[in-house]
Each structure stands twice: as structure tokens, then as C-alpha cells.
Amino acid sequence: MVYQPAAGARDLLPLDVAQKRWIEDRLQQVFHRWGYHRIITSTLERMDTLMAGEAIQRQMVIQLQNGEDEELGLRPELTASIARAVATRMADVTYPQRLYYNANVFRRTWENRHNRQQEFYQSGVELLGVGGLLANAEVLLLARNCLTALGLPDWHLILGEAGITRSLLDAFPVNIQAQVRSAIAHLDRIAIDTLPLSDELRDRARIMMDLRGDSADVLQKVSSLGLAPEQQEIVNHLKSVVELLQSEGEFPLILDLSLIQTIDYYTGIVFEIVSDTGSQARVLGRGGRYDKLLGLYHPQGEDIPGIGFVLNIEDLYQVLLSTQQLPQSTPASDWLVVAQTPNVEAAAFAHAQKLRDSTDLVRVEMDLGGTDVEAMRKYASDRGITQIAWIKSDGEIVNESLR
């Protein structure tokens, strides 16, 4: 019998891990420089926790059941888990809280295609306890800094505003708002033409579908829709965000007020990070503002503003493969320590430990039973080991460089 991973699961071999860590380490360095601290939440969550923010559809959660018949699920994303942890266990903290994560998430695919991937790796941040222009700008600039640190070529950020897009939908009859929303989200002009709308509302839907492109043009178009004062205030805030981003140097930005996330907890700006490399655009990450989510988990229902983003490690990996930046081999050991006779084996272990005790990371291997000197040299050469410490029968240590 040939044993295989479970359907939708996969193993990461040492080179896969080295390449994944290369990406995660560079992202983590950026998070640290911006003052963010790592949070680790439970892989298992109660289903009511996962469903509270309507972040994902129930059938996409890989569900489990414990002995107490409690419905549990493997986390399909991190924001809901972090919101639960902060609202229930960090009541006395000072805001803002800057948190980041590197974690795996699990999603059942409803297409039922054989071996469709169900485990994914993500890195992301959550900035909690503060709203407004500067917080929005910080998260967007942090996202840019992450992509710069990875040396990612040819990407852009698509920026929308859930609040203004949702409020523009209020002009449509309640019974078909969901259909209009879906048509706009999928840029489905045929659906707009077939819906029972007045000419005025049909034109409005078409304009909403075209609210994408240069920020100045988009802001001018949306202002032509006869906005209420509170809607114009949101548009003015979005304009300020765009101006602040562009004042910080080149920022590849597309404004898209037709961008409607399927996740309903977003209340303000929403965005996607898209790679332009290759023949097909690839979404590398997404995020947005969610000022009502933490209140769903708070014991007193207190709203705590939040904004964050997630980057998909697998998608970043696929793009970075073409840049030749990722490690092409696993790290080689620095030393091979060889006891040339049995009576100095204890001395060989002691010397290996002395080498490992260096303040710098030193990788040291012990020979575990070879006797032939040339075979040892070949082994070290094949493994990329540059130095051999020979422990002679009298305890003398002779270092040999293979460079």
C-alpha cells in the first residue's frame, strides 16, 4: 500500500520550507519595523465564532465535533479569531494594538475537485482600536513596504470603499439590491440590462460599474451621482487617503468603487493587491476596514475599530519563482566533525557542541560511523559543507577547508 497525504493536503519538504521561510522572514522584519507584534490564535474555533462576522460561508469550513457535541471548525481565516481574542482577552490593553500573524488556514472547496488544496499559509496584520485617515494610510503603506521588501515586480493595489458602495446601492429596490450588488461585483452588464430597473437606476448601476481607474476621474464620476452629505464626506475621506499615499512616493494605485467584497464585515476602505506578472492577474492579498466586527465578540458589545490585510504565501511564492530570489537549495552545514577512532567519539561530540555554541548560527554535523577519509570528503563536498574537523586518535583537532 502506498500512503498518500489526505485529499487537499500536502507536505512541505526542506527546500519548500526554506523558500516559504524566506518569504515569511522578510515580511516579519517589515512587521517588526512598523511596531507590530505577533499573535497566535487557536487553529480550532467554535463555529459560532467563525460565523459571527459572516466572513465565510459555512460549507467552506472544515468542521469537527468534540465529545460534548460542540460544533468546531478549522479556522478559514484569521481576522475573526483575532477579533475574538482581542475582544475577550485583551480588555485592559492600550490602543492602538498592532498585531501580525504567520499561520495556516483551512478551507473546504465546494467544487469537490479531487485533491483541490484545502490548507493555505497566510501572513497579515491587524491595526486595532483606531480609525481615521492616518490608520488607513499606515496599513496601505505597510502593505507596499511588504511587497518592496520581497522585491516583488509589477503589482498594483485596487482600492475601494465599502461604505460608499453599499450606500449607493440603497437607491435600488430592496428586493433586488443583492442582484444589483452581484452584477456590479462581477461586472455583469447583461444582468444589469435584464433586471427590472427604471432607466435612471439602470444608468446609475452602469456608472457604478465604471467607477474604476484613475483616482481623479473616479472621484469626479462618483460625485456626479448626487451624493448625500454623509456620502460626500466618505468620498472626501477617500480622496484624502489617495493624496496621502501619493505624497509618499510612487504608489501603483487603481481606485475601484465597484469593488465589493463578499465579506460583509467591511465598513470602510477595502483593497486587493494584484500581481501583473504573467498572462493572468493574480490576487496576492486583500484587506479593509471593519469597525463593527470586534463588537460582535465583545462582552458588552463595544465596537473597536480595526483595519488589516492578509497576504497569501502560495501566491507570493508563485510570483517570486520567476525572480530567482528564492533559495534554490537548503542551507548547507558549516562543519562536519569526524571522530577517526572510537576512543575520541566523546571528544568529537564535545567539539561539535563547542562549535554550535558560537554567538552566530553555526550548523554542525557529526559523522555517525564513516571510516574512509575520501568518502567523508566526498560526503561533505556533496552536501556543500565547507569545513571538516578531524578528531585524531590522540585527541588532536585538525581542521580542513574544502573551499
Side-chain angles (χ1 to χ4, degrees):
M1 179 178 180
V2 178
Y3 291 95
Q4 299 291 345
R10 64 191 180 97
D11 302 312
L12 296 182
L13 302 182
L15 180 56
D16 302 320
V17 173
Q19 293 175 332
K20 175 175 173 287
R21 283 290 303 272
W22 186 95
I23 297 171
E24 291 176 341
D25 287 349
R26 277 153 183 77
L27 294 176
Q28 183 170 274
Q29 289 171 20
V30 176
F31 300 154
H32 286 176
R33 291 190 178 109
W34 283 70
Y36 285 70
H37 299 274
R38 187 172 184 181
I39 185 171
I40 300 176
T41 61
S42 173
T43 306
L44 271 178
E45 289 281 5
R46 289 168 42 138
M47 285 298 294
D48 56 3
T49 295
L50 298 177
M51 293 294 101
E54 299 181 356
I56 201 163
Q57 293 169 314
R58 177 177 284 267
Q59 62 262 40
M60 294 185 72
V61 179
I62 298 176
Q63 296 185 48
L64 307 170
Q65 206 156 20
N66 63 12
E68 300 173 359
D69 290 333
E70 184 179 33
E71 281 192 308
L72 304 174
L74 299 177
R75 61 188 178 204
E77 53 98 49
L78 269 294
T79 301
S81 297
I82 293 173
R84 186 262 311 152
V86 171
T88 60
R89 302 194 57 205
M90 299 175 68
D92 299 325
V93 300
T94 301
Y95 289 105
Q97 283 290 307
R98 292 176 168 90
L99 306 174
Y100 81 88
Y101 55 86
N102 290 319
N104 54 349
V105 298
F106 304 85
R107 292 179 188 163
R108 173 178 285 123
T109 55
W110 49 33
E111 297 98 332
N112 290 323
R113 287 168 57 184
H114 182 63
N115 282 341
R116 182 82 172 198
Q117 187 174 344
Q118 296 187 94
E119 182 179 10
F120 306 88
Y121 294 93
Q122 298 183 337
S123 288
V125 302
E126 311 293 349
L127 174 55
L128 305 175
V130 60
L133 173 64
L134 295 182
N136 288 344
E138 172 172 318
V139 168
L140 293 168
L141 291 169
L142 171 54
R144 180 183 71 174
N145 204 171
C146 287
L147 302 177
T148 301
L150 294 174
L152 202 78
D154 301 325
W155 63 272
H156 62 268
L157 186 142
I158 302 173
L159 178 63
E161 223 297 342
I164 187 65
T165 306
R166 209 170 275 132
S167 71
L168 291 174
L169 288 168
D170 290 341
F172 296 88
V174 174
N175 63 318
I176 59 171
Q177 277 185 15
Q179 293 169 271
V180 175
R181 173 178 175 170
S182 176
I184 292 172
H186 295 96
L187 302 179
D188 188 348
R189 297 180 185 276
I190 294 176
I192 293 297
D193 290 340
T194 58
L195 288 173
L197 297 170
S198 66
D199 290 342
E200 181 183 353
L201 286 178
R202 204 180 309 281
D203 288 342
R204 184 184 185 90
R206 288 168 179 156
I207 291 173
M208 289 179 64
M209 208 175 284
D210 291 333
L211 293 176
R212 175 187 172 97
D214 176 75
S215 55
D217 292 341
V218 171
L219 292 169
Q220 184 178 13
K221 282 182 184 178
V222 73
S223 295
S224 71
L225 292 172
L227 302 179
E230 59 272 17
Q231 292 174 320
Q232 188 61 55
E233 185 178 348
I234 297 174
V235 172
N236 292 341
H237 174 85
L238 185 58
K239 181 181 179 182
S240 297
V241 171
V242 171
E243 289 173 348
L244 185 52
L245 295 179
Q246 294 175 339
S247 72
E248 290 295 312
E250 183 179 354
F251 200 113
L253 180 69
I254 295 173
L255 200 57
D256 184 2
L257 296 186
S258 69
L259 180 64
I260 304 175
Q261 298 281 22
T262 56
I263 297 176
D264 282 333
Y265 61 58
Y266 287 121
T267 58
I269 66 168
V270 291
F271 56 94
E272 291 183 345
I273 299 164
V274 179
S275 167
D276 298 324
T277 58
S279 58
Q280 186 175 0
R282 182 188 294 268
V283 177
L284 304 176
R286 50 174 47 95
R289 174 161 290 284
Y290 48 88
D291 288 348
K292 302 294 183 181
L293 179 63
L294 272 72
L296 299 175
Y297 302 102
H298 196 280
Q300 285 77 46
E302 179 184 338
D303 285 331
I304 301 170
I307 181 173
F309 66 80
V310 59
L311 295 170
N312 305 314
I313 300 299
E314 281 92 353
D315 291 304
L316 291 171
Y317 166 81
Q318 290 298 328
V319 174
L320 288 168
L321 271 179
S322 63
T323 69
Q324 301 299 310
Q325 295 184 81
L326 295 175
Q328 301 302 304
S329 61
T330 55
S333 295
D334 301 288
W335 286 90
L336 174 64
V337 177
V338 181
Q340 292 197 279
T341 55
N343 67 298
V344 292
E345 288 169 348
F349 273 109
H351 183 65
Q353 189 57 47
K354 181 179 178 181
L355 293 172
R356 296 185 185 110
D357 287 340
S358 167
T359 54
D360 298 322
L361 173 62
V362 177
R363 299 175 187 268
V364 182
E365 290 187 26
M366 279 283 298
D367 165 47
L368 301 177
T371 54
D372 183 86
V373 170
E374 288 308 314
M376 288 297 97
R377 289 192 178 111
K378 184 177 187 308
Y379 170 83
S381 178
D382 290 346
R383 300 271 292 181
I385 301 172
T386 57
Q387 297 184 92
I388 301 177
W390 302 97
I391 314 300
K392 300 291 187 178
S393 59
D394 60 358
E396 179 187 4
I397 300 170
V398 177
N399 295 330
E400 178 181 353
S401 175
L402 299 182
R403 292 183 186 276

